[in-house]
């Protein structure tokens, strides 16, 4: 590819990202999906590309509680964690635009789902069992998986949660490929959903979500 063509494509991409930002207004891009789907890794890179802040809801919950998620589950139980999760995400959604990665159970709460629908555009990173197990196997910071055979727990969570995650505005398959590939798939899907190609971005006619 010639240098000029490469520069032209880069300009087009920048305009497209600007179009996505413009169409978002104050809304957040909210990543949902199971543990190991890549929400944090993809979210961080996506935010960087779109020049938006990246916020990880689990980290914010840990900061608010002054404890790690493992400690919160062990000392107070899951119901307490879920109450904190709902409050923290409601607060974070008021601070858009941003890329917000949520913990795997967050979207299962009906209030949180409503807030995300009102104040965000949701992106489900959908992964199959093999990809999820490969990724979660690298760390042992997930109390739900420590409560039984991790693969059995994951299968159960997939069965319970995938029909609800399917309500997301956008679904992107999170495959076993470099994160940048998934980020590109997410920006393509966002641009398609929001009507932001380079030309539309120039004329400022992207749909507001
Ligand atoms: C959970 C997922 C975790 C964390 C907590 C519960 C879940 O976040 O919120 O351990 O219910 O699926 P990640 O999805 O970021 O691992």
């Amino acid at each position: 590819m010639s240098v000029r063509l490469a520069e032209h494509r880069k300009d087009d991409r920048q305009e497209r990202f600007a179009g996505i930002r413009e169409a978002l207004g104050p809304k957040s891009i909210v990543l949902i999906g199971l543990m190991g789907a890549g929400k944090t890794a993809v979210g961080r890179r996506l935010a960087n590309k779109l020049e938006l802040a990246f916020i990880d809801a689990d980290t914010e919950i840990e900061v608010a509680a002054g404890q790690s998620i493992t400690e919160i589950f062990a000392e107070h139980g899951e119901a307490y964690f879920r109450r904190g999760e709902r409050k923290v995400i409601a607060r974070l959604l008021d601070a858009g635009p941003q890329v917000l990665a949520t913990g795997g159970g967050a979207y299962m709460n009906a209030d949180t789902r409503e807030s995300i629908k009102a104040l965000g555009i949701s992106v489900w990173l959908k992964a199959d069992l093999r990809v999820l197990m490969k990724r979660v196997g690298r760390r042992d910071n997930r109390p739900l998986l420590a409560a039984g055979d991790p693969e059995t727990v994951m299968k159960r969570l997939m069965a319970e949660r995938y029909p609800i995650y399917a309500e997301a505005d956008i679904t992107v398959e999170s495959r076993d490929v470099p994160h940048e590939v998934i980020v590109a798939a997410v920006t393509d899907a966002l641009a398609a959903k929001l009507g932001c190609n380079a030309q539309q971005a120039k004329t400022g006619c992207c749909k507001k979500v």
Side-chain angles (χ1 to χ4, degrees):
M1 199 192 310
S2 74
V3 174
R4 277 192 59 188
L5 183 59
E7 275 172 7
H8 185 69
R9 291 215 177 138
K10 196 171 163 212
D11 285 352
D12 267 5
R13 273 198 301 274
Q14 291 309 329
E15 277 169 15
R16 209 164 183 231
F17 296 157
I20 291 173
R21 278 196 304 274
E22 188 195 321
L24 270 180
K27 290 194 176 186
S28 301
I29 297 168
V30 184
L31 299 178
I32 67 164
L34 267 179
M35 297 171 270
K39 297 171 304 243
T40 303
V42 169
R44 210 179 281 289
R45 290 168 176 80
L46 178 67
N48 189 29
K49 278 238 145 64
L50 294 176
E51 296 178 32
L52 290 171
F54 172 73
I55 307 289
D56 185 85
D58 280 347
T59 306
E60 296 296 318
I61 295 165
E62 290 180 324
V63 170
Q67 285 184 308
S68 71
I69 298 217
T70 307
E71 287 165 348
I72 301 173
F73 267 73
E75 278 184 34
H76 308 282
E78 182 175 350
Y80 177 92
F81 168 77
R82 297 294 173 202
R83 282 197 295 279
E85 180 176 54
R86 182 177 51 74
K87 279 193 212 150
V88 167
I89 292 178
R91 167 171 60 77
L92 295 172
L93 282 167
D94 275 333
Q98 66 203 326
V99 176
L100 176 61
T102 60
Y107 197 72
M108 298 305 289
N109 180 284
D111 293 338
T112 299
R113 259 195 325 277
E114 278 316 302
S115 311
I116 293 175
K117 281 177 188 159
L119 299 168
I121 174 153
S122 48
V123 181
W124 174 19
L125 294 183
K126 182 179 184 185
D128 65 25
L129 183 66
R130 192 185 55 83
V131 171
L132 297 172
M133 292 315 295
K134 186 175 163 194
R135 299 229 183 99
V136 296
R138 293 183 195 140
R139 297 179 67 187
D140 63 352
N141 59 343
R142 279 140 170 153
L144 287 186
L145 295 180
D149 167 56
E151 191 165 321
T152 308
V153 175
M154 193 66 99
K155 278 187 188 157
R156 178 176 55 75
L157 293 175
M158 287 174 84
E160 285 170 9
R161 294 179 176 180
Y162 276 21
I164 307 289
Y165 290 165
E167 292 178 27
D169 297 308
I170 291 172
T171 299
V172 168
E173 298 284 337
S174 181
R175 294 160 291 127
D176 196 10
V177 292
H179 293 307
E180 289 304 335
V181 177
I182 307 300
V183 171
V186 174
T187 53
D188 283 352
L190 282 167
K193 180 91 186 166
L194 305 177
C196 307
N197 62 31
Q199 197 52 40
Q200 286 168 321
K202 255 183 222 156
T203 53
C205 66
C206 298
K207 288 183 241 170
K208 290 267 184 234
V209 282

